[in-house]
């Protein structure tokens, strides 16, 4: 069995680059701490539009036919049982399996921030945000179908559409928002820092070059 060992200079440069990337991440956290509020405001939607709070004039659906026959609608559901009955990722969106009053089951993309509760959020009557039908071939995504009906007991009644109750709204948590930016910055800064640190060390003679410059190769050939 052949064992490969990484050179000491590589380990040292990786360690230093990690430190630089960590500091860069701290800087990103400070910036995103200030920008998250404006991001949250930009993701808010008005009442009565897709993803917004459902006003009294928005139709309350009871079955799939209601979904197909109304441009905008909402659903009243007891408690939040729909959040525990299966869900999965389709096209980067997490869709919940939601049972309608008719007993039919459809996939819904829900902006949970705009769910309005009459009484207790967990057991009272909740009105979901304004939704609209979005045509999509859900059955074509086998992974999604396995996720949303993980135990095989709650198959979707309709797989040719899902309900969008987010629209232009919806926001990720503060932690996810910050982590998304920080991760990419740390990767980029870490790679650049590694290259710069190692190249600097090689130039002053304390590290061997990873790729020997042409001018040094030329000199070596002349000496030979």
């Amino acid at each position: 069995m052949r064992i490969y060992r990484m050179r000491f200079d590589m380990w040292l440069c990786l360690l230093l680059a990690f430190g630089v990337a960590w500091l860069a991440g701290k800087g990103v956290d400070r910036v995103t701490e200030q920008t998250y509020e404006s991001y949250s405001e930009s993701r808010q939607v008005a009442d009565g539009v897709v993803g917004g709070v459902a006003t009294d004039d928005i139709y309350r659906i009871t079955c799939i036919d209601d979904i197909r026959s109304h441009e905008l609608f909402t659903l009243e559901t007891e408690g939040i049982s729909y959040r525990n009955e299966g869900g999965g990722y389709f096209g980067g969106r997490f869709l919940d399996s939601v049972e309608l009053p008719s007993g039919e089951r459809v996939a819904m993309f829900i902006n949970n921030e705009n769910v309005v509760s009459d009484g207790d959020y967990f057991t009272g009557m909740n009105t979901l945000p304004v939704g609209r039908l979005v045509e999509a071939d859900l059955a074509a995504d086998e992974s999604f179908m396995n996720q949303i009906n993980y135990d095989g007991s709650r198959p979707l009644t309709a797989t040719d559409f899902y309900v969008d109750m987010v629209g232009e709204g919806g926001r990720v948590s503060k932690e996810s928002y910050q982590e998304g930016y920080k991760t990419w910055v740390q990767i980029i800064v870490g790679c650049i820092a590694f290259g710069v640190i190692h190249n600097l060390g090689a130039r002053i003679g304390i590290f061997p070059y990873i790729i020997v410059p042409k001018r040094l190769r030329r000199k070596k050939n002349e000496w030979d």
Side-chain angles (χ1 to χ4, degrees):
M1 180 178 178
R2 183 176 296 178
I3 299 176
Y4 294 92
R5 298 180 185 276
M6 187 177 291
R7 293 185 338 219
F8 172 75
D9 60 299
M10 302 291 280
W11 278 112
L12 179 59
C13 289
L14 281 172
L15 181 62
L16 293 173
F18 178 84
V20 173
W22 182 82
L23 291 174
K26 288 296 182 181
V28 171
D29 281 343
R30 289 189 177 185
V31 173
T32 52
E33 180 85 25
Q34 299 173 1
T35 60
Y36 183 74
E37 185 175 346
S38 59
Y39 158 77
S40 297
E41 291 176 356
S42 71
R43 303 299 293 177
Q44 292 180 356
V45 292
D47 295 353
V49 301
V50 176
V53 172
T55 50
D56 292 339
D57 59 319
I58 299 297
Y59 188 83
R60 270 61 175 167
I61 60 171
T62 60
C63 60
I64 289 178
D65 284 343
D66 288 344
I67 293 175
R68 297 189 188 279
S69 60
H70 291 80
E71 181 178 356
L72 298 177
F73 49 81
T74 187
L75 171 68
E76 293 181 344
T77 176
E78 186 174 346
I80 57 170
S81 59
Y82 62 87
R83 299 185 66 176
N84 302 306
E85 296 182 352
Y89 285 95
F90 179 82
R93 298 172 173 175
F94 187 82
L95 308 183
D96 287 294
S97 176
V98 181
E99 184 176 14
L100 305 178
S102 62
E104 297 167 305
R105 189 171 289 276
V106 298
M108 291 187 171
F109 183 36
I110 303 171
N111 182 0
N112 290 302
E113 292 185 356
N114 284 336
V115 174
V116 177
S117 302
D118 182 10
D120 183 74
Y121 176 69
F122 297 97
T123 59
M125 187 61 67
N126 291 329
T127 302
L128 302 188
V130 179
R132 67 183 180 94
L133 180 150
V134 177
E135 294 182 354
D137 186 3
L138 304 181
D141 190 333
E142 184 177 350
S143 175
F144 166 73
M145 294 300 292
N146 289 334
Q147 290 176 57
I148 200 165
N149 186 26
Y150 65 95
D151 63 358
S153 65
R154 301 182 179 91
L156 296 176
T157 306
T159 59
D160 59 338
F161 72 86
Y162 68 86
V163 174
D164 178 12
M165 289 185 166
V166 174
E168 298 300 319
R171 63 177 181 177
V172 299
S173 66
K174 186 175 182 179
E175 291 74 19
S176 297
Y177 174 79
Q178 291 183 302
E179 195 63 31
Y181 285 102
K182 183 167 70 174
T183 298
W184 281 107
V185 168
Q186 288 181 318
I187 291 173
I188 294 170
V189 170
C191 291
I192 293 174
F194 175 84
V196 170
I197 293 169
H198 195 279
N199 186 61
L200 181 61
R203 281 179 176 273
I204 63 179
I206 61 175
F207 298 150
Y209 279 100
I210 297 176
I211 300 175
V212 180
K214 186 181 294 185
R215 59 183 176 80
L216 295 182
R217 292 200 303 269
R218 189 181 300 118
K219 283 184 178 180
K220 183 178 180 181
N221 292 334
E222 289 174 357
W223 293 337
D224 293 340

